[in-house]
Amino acid sequence: MSNIAFVRTEMLPEQAPPASAVGLIGWVRANLFSGWFNTLITLATLYVIYAILAAILPWAFSPTVGAGSLAECREILAESGKTGHFAGACWGVITERWQQLMFGFYPNGSDGVSADLRWRPVLAFVLLAVALAPVLFADKVPSKMIWFTAAFPFLYPWLHWGGSIWGPISALLGFVIGWFVFKTAEKVSSSLIGMISGVVAALVWWLTLSGFFSNALNSILPVGIEPVQSRLFGGFMLSVLIGVIAIACSLPLGIVLALGRQSDLLIVKAICVGFIEFIRGVPLITLLFVASTLLNIFLPPGTQFDIILRVLIMVTLFAAAYMAEVIRGGLAALPKGQYEGADSLGLDYWQAQRLIIMPQALKISIPGIVSTFIGVFKDTVLVSVIGLLDPLGLSNGIRADANWNGIVWEIYGFIALMFFVFCFSMSRYSMYLERKLQTGHR
Amino acid sequence: MTTVSDPPKEGFRLSQLIYDTRYRSMTIQIVALIGFLTLIFWLINNTATNLAELGKEPSFRFLSEPAGYDINQRLLDYQSQDTHLRAALIGLLNTLLVAVMGCITATIIGVIVGVLRLSKNWLVSRLMAVYVEMFRNVPVLLWIVFVMAVLIETLPAPRAFRGDNATASMMLNDSVAVTNRGVYVPEPLFSRGLGDIHLLGDSSLRFDVSLDLIAILIVLGLGFFVSHKIKQRADHVQETTGDRPTTWYLRLGVVSLPFIVLLYALGFHLGYPELKGFNFRGGTHMRNSLIALWLALSLYTAAFIAEIVRAGILAISHGQTEAAAALGLRQNRIMNLVVLPQALRVIIPPLISNYLNLTKNSSLAIAVGYMDITGTLGGITLNQTGRELETLLLLMLCYLIISLSISAVMNWYNESVKLRER
């Protein structure tokens, strides 16, 4: 057996993989053209995409940004040789009306009576991002910022409606008073008595004394900004306003409802379940009808407050029911050991909730809260049905304008794009958060 | 709770209501109940005072007064002289019609898109992702008015179908006409029909039941029953002998033959829409408002369903498929016996809650003028009679009943497929 002529003793150098298996070509072959069926599907999809783009792009790229009316748009398009129904978009309407779609009829200085106040909602929106930062990016922002977040719910409406600064301050004082009464009563007697007396004290303050307080301080030291009436609100400003206030107010309400639904107290549980299921069982539009026609009838005779406030109340109740379910999910997702651990430390119910349960449950539910917010924000379009001037409500007015009579796609497209940008970025954020909070194994 | 020594026997003191955990929950509940009842009483009292001031004592008598408005899209017969109750009933049926149609198409589109999103073809999965994100992130009301605008602006008017050089033509062998006034589809007609039964006489809730339809349903039901029996017999034979008899032609025959014979006996034919004057006559007319609402709701809900389906399929771990393959099951058997039953457990509960959302969103019909229950009872009836409290209560009650029955179905399903854990 010694006639073996050649035995290789060293390895051959590695060859590069074939060009058709790596890089762009390899990727295309593996993902788009792996077999005749896949190729067929790819070609069909390419054709669909081409058809859609070929229909939309030539329409969208039309040189009509500067036009002042639909007739002018048509002239411009006819000059460039395009006629017919879908010759091109008339972007002049967006150039002329985008500020209205953003701010509604918020004073912009054009009527000569009031100054340009649109910086206020813009500032409020920017501050909203600042106030949200400690909640959403807790690991990147100094934790002291949370105090600003706590004060923001009072700052935000004030920046929109304006008026005396003592109004929001006296509203804030209600919470402070309630807290002090709770603390003193808790020391003197039990926490239950403390809680009841704290709530009662805050209610007494808001319902009776706060009005006198703010009026008195206002006559002594009138500090404030120019008030703006609700009927001037509109556009995306209104959508964001309703969405943000509804979510901010529904969060505490939702926590209470979720705790009530989880509790052992039968009557409390029944009330909470009844409320949640009722609100979740009816469409928002019926609740908005209640806001527009019935809410004043439910309140003491002579009570009149404006439609935006009534809508805010109903949207808050609506969001609270959904929020309660989200937080209940967070509570249910906590391991039982956390509850038992808190009990074995000797904490009472509220201490356990405050120190152990809620911080964890709320953290788990943030993605759900964000999606609830997206839902509520999208649902704010419904207020156009009861006559408020949100973007869709404004679009009817714009389409009825003599200059723009006949405009359809441009406005809807613009509104849809705005909603898309906002909701899509929110949902991406919530997905990022979900990944970050994911500590389990799969 | 067991105690080491006997607790000291003491009489009941008032402070135990607050400090003693045995009684404290009682105190809290009673305080909550009193607070709740006070709130309710306060609201009712305010309402009664306000309504008395306005001279509108609550009464439901308006329901039996003539409505005086027309409803163009309807399932039952209705004239403008009918009562408000009848109008509300027509509206309720319209709500259910668009909800059922929407749920079916949304499921079909959603399942297809959800499966395609998992496609290995990059282009297809991206395209489906674009679809899902586009529909999920724009309000449904905007989609509804948008689709309505598409229908009105882009479809040909009925007169485009007329003349020698017509610019539009009917589809599917001249049977379906798609116009900007709606879609005309053929309607089933019976030349030797059995007629209708009129139920509930002349009251507001009267409705007709077609005997033809009942006969068809009975024959189909019997056919499926016999077919099921044949399948059971085939299963039995397979279990005892190991050979499965070929039964598909028998099963197809027992369902379809009696059905075809019955249709022939009843003189079944289709009534085609025809262009007469300025509009189409004959056939079933589905108005733009219905189509727009149906399409928009289906496309919008389908985007959510697609995500649910995708999540459901991804939730089944690979181990399940591999274990089934190791048992020697074939690919379709693995799908039917292992993957689908587990995926459905994940998919169905959110799917049903999406059906519920679709039904609630159908109340946005009011934006395109489709007369659903929000449009009739909560729209024109409310405005005509000025009975806000009564109409809105009835409206909410209707939606609550629909929602609660859907969630009852969901709870029943969840209970029946729940994992039996030790």
Side-chain angles (χ1 to χ4, degrees), chain B residues 66-88:
Chain B
Y69 58 88
D70 210 16
I71 300 177
N72 48 30
Q73 182 87 52
R74 54 179 184 252
L75 292 176
L76 299 183
D77 75 297
Y78 170 86
Q79 286 97 34
S80 58
Q81 290 315 307
D82 276 317
T83 61
H84 283 295
L85 181 62
R86 179 91 182 154

Side-chain angles (χ1 to χ4, degrees), chain A residues 232-406:
Chain A
L232 300 177
F233 286 32
F236 279 97
M237 187 195 90
L238 181 65
S239 298
V240 175
L241 180 80
I242 294 176
V244 167
I245 293 188
I247 286 295
C249 298
S250 68
L251 198 57
L253 203 54
I255 292 177
V256 171
L257 283 172
L259 288 178
R261 192 167 186 168
Q262 292 283 68
S263 86
D264 305 327
L265 311 174
L266 258 183
I267 296 175
V268 175
K269 187 175 174 173
I271 294 173
C272 291
V273 170
F275 177 82
I276 293 172
E277 291 304 324
F278 170 71
I279 296 279
R280 278 160 45 93
V282 298
L284 177 58
I285 192 113
T286 57
L287 295 178
L288 290 178
F289 282 155
V290 169
S292 73
T293 61
L294 275 183
L295 207 54
N296 278 339
I297 292 183
F298 289 151
L299 295 174
T303 320
Q304 281 291 341
F305 49 95
D306 72 75
I307 178 77
I308 292 192
L309 208 56
R310 281 182 275 159
V311 165
L312 273 176
I313 293 174
M314 293 319 282
V315 178
T316 302
L317 294 181
F318 177 78
Y322 285 83
M323 198 62 90
E325 288 299 275
V326 167
I327 292 169
R328 187 169 74 113
L331 289 174
L334 276 194
K336 217 165 179 298
Q338 298 291 329
Y339 292 89
E340 288 162 358
D343 282 348
S344 67
L345 282 176
L347 301 178
D348 70 17
Y349 178 77
W350 290 106
Q351 283 171 329
Q353 292 297 341
R354 208 173 66 230
L355 301 171
I356 312 274
I357 308 297
M358 270 301 150
Q360 299 185 66
L362 284 183
K363 197 176 168 191
I364 304 176
S365 6
I366 287 181
I369 294 174
V370 175
S371 6
T372 311
F373 176 70
I374 296 176
V376 171
F377 182 64
K378 283 194 296 178
D379 282 344
T380 56
V381 195
L382 267 63
V383 299
S384 64
V385 176
I386 57 166
L388 288 189
L389 293 176
D390 82 311
L392 203 59
L394 283 169
S395 78
N396 294 333
I398 297 174
R399 290 176 63 194
D401 188 313
N403 281 340
W404 304 113
N405 197 349

Side-chain angles (χ1 to χ4, degrees), chain B residues 158-175:
Chain B
R159 67 182 144 80
F161 290 81
R162 196 140 35 87
D164 293 331
N165 48 1
T167 49
S169 59
M170 292 167 72
M171 291 191 288
L172 296 179
N173 201 14
D174 271 4
S175 61

